[in-house]
Amino acid sequence: MADGHAAGGRAQFREMLEGTKEDWEIIAEHSRIFNKGLAKRVLDHLRLLDGDFGGFPVDRLEHSLQTATRAHRDGRDEEYVVCALLHDIGDTLGSMNHPDVAAAILKPFVSEENLWMVANHGVFQGYYFFEYLGLDKNMREQFKDHPYYQRCAEFCHKYDQAAFDPEYESEPLEFFEPMVERVFSKPKNSIYLRNKD
């Protein structure tokens, strides 16, 4: 069997049971290179929300930009602003659970409190409209004793529910791109990170 370099830098096993250290070094190197493009891929996916109104007064991309712009102008830190920008990125692939999709993307890169805020914002946002759909607007009260309850309620009130104004002048996506690059360049939590102990 030829070595990985002769085969275009690919591992040579047919099943993982056959894998060698050299195989996994090849894969790890490819992974390092691929991961450097993650922020760009995330931003490309966010752009899919452009022109998707879903009946709202602004399209989903503008809503995301408005949410992030409002958080930024209110002095929130970069990680929080990136969470605000990406909170609805799951709308296209997870229309029945979009907060879970956004949280899964952000999980390796953000703090526990920001992750919880993104993962649960759908229930908290429901406070503003669930009653009109025959649902319980107070569904968020199941979390009333959670330490991040207020953080999520504030996010929805100050930034998310307020971000549907067609007259609002949001920052363009390009304004946020360096922030996304920086946040996604420093994973904090992943099974693929070595312990630093």
Side-chain angles (χ1 to χ4, degrees), residues 33-69:
I33 294 165
F34 184 71
N35 290 343
K36 288 180 182 177
L38 179 58
K40 182 187 178 317
R41 290 190 301 277
V42 168
L43 289 163
D44 286 346
H45 192 84
L46 187 66
R47 286 182 181 92
L48 295 177
L49 303 180
D50 189 14
D52 180 1
F53 285 82
F56 288 98
V58 298
D59 70 32
R60 288 182 162 102
L61 179 59
E62 175 56 29
H63 169 67
S64 298
L65 293 171
Q66 252 186 67
T67 305
T69 300

Side-chain angles (χ1 to χ4, degrees), residues 7-178:
R10 293 193 297 190
Q12 298 300 300
F13 57 77
R14 289 183 176 83
E15 56 183 72
M16 285 185 171
L17 286 171
E18 299 172 351
T20 65
K21 184 175 188 321
E22 291 76 21
D23 286 329
W24 288 101
E25 286 171 352
I26 291 167
I27 292 167
E29 181 58 25
H30 280 263
S31 181
R32 279 189 285 280
I33 294 165
F34 184 71
N35 290 343
K36 288 180 182 177
L38 179 58
K40 182 187 178 317
R41 290 190 301 277
V42 168
L43 289 163
D44 286 346
H45 192 84
L46 187 66
R47 286 182 181 92
L48 295 177
L49 303 180
D50 189 14
D52 180 1
F53 285 82
F56 288 98
V58 298
D59 70 32
R60 288 182 162 102
L61 179 59
E62 175 56 29
H63 169 67
S64 298
L65 293 171
Q66 252 186 67
T67 305
T69 300
R70 290 173 185 279
H72 173 71
R73 291 178 182 164
D74 200 30
R76 296 297 179 156
D77 66 47
E78 193 164 87
E79 181 181 296
Y80 189 105
V81 171
V82 169
C83 287
L85 179 68
L86 301 179
H87 77 285
D88 280 348
I89 195 170
D91 279 347
T92 54
L93 293 175
S95 56
M96 301 302 289
N97 66 330
H98 78 273
D100 298 325
V101 175
I105 292 167
L106 287 161
K107 184 176 181 177
F109 305 99
V110 301
S111 66
E112 181 182 323
E113 59 266 29
N114 282 337
L115 179 64
W116 198 90
M117 177 182 78
V118 171
N120 292 284
H121 81 271
V123 170
F124 280 71
Q125 189 79 324
Y127 179 77
Y128 301 96
F129 69 91
F130 276 179
E131 64 185 305
Y132 304 120
L133 302 177
L135 301 168
D136 179 8
K137 73 177 273 176
N138 294 307
M139 198 181 295
R140 69 184 188 174
E141 290 307 299
Q142 66 187 297
F143 301 115
K144 68 179 189 268
D145 296 324
H146 195 281
Y148 305 137
Y149 176 96
Q150 192 55 44
R151 184 179 193 83
C152 194
E154 181 183 59
F155 168 75
C156 288
H157 183 71
K158 290 179 83 171
Y159 312 123
D160 195 3
Q161 71 82 29
F164 296 94
D165 182 355
E167 307 295 317
Y168 187 80
E169 292 190 26
S170 299
E171 297 291 348
L173 185 55
E174 294 74 26
F175 177 83
F176 299 105
E177 286 178 1

